[in-house]
Amino acid sequence: MAKKPGRRTIIVVRTPKVDRFSTPPAGAPPEHPVEGCAVMPRTSHEEGKGWVIVDGRMIIAPYGADVLATDQVRVDGETWDVDGEPGDYEDRKARGKATIFYLKRRGS
């Protein structure tokens, strides 16, 4: 396993699968921790059009972390949606270094 990029632990909340009648299973959705993450704020702006702030987080997790584009992630007690497909970062020798993904506010 690759070196852990950070010291934070995030909680991944997986959306439960529904049956053929679109009925979700009873109980809380399954969740699992991902340890050794780095959590960074994410903002952006557009030149010439003024500042446009995108509130979110960038997560650098250990290589191969179990995170899907349909998951939600809990960081510091706040729940976020995964923004796009998580990607694995490898070095030139194809050794796995990290899994990188972005978070956005829920419902945005």
Side-chain angles (χ1 to χ4, degrees), residues 56-100:
R57 301 284 183 264
M58 181 171 109
I59 307 291
I60 301 175
Y63 182 75
D66 183 16
V67 180
L68 304 174
T70 56
D71 289 341
Q72 294 177 345
V73 175
R74 195 164 42 245
V75 180
D76 299 331
E78 192 172 358
T79 304
W80 303 78
D81 288 330
V82 174
D83 188 13
E85 195 69 37
D88 289 330
Y89 167 71
E90 299 175 343
D91 65 8
R92 288 187 228 169
K93 296 181 181 177
R95 290 184 297 221
K97 294 294 185 183
T99 297
I100 301 172

Side-chain angles (χ1 to χ4, degrees), residues 23-46:
T23 307
E31 45 184 71
H32 61 274
V34 178
E35 297 177 354
C37 297
V39 179
M40 295 175 276
R42 180 178 72 137
T43 59
S44 68
H45 69 281
E46 295 180 23

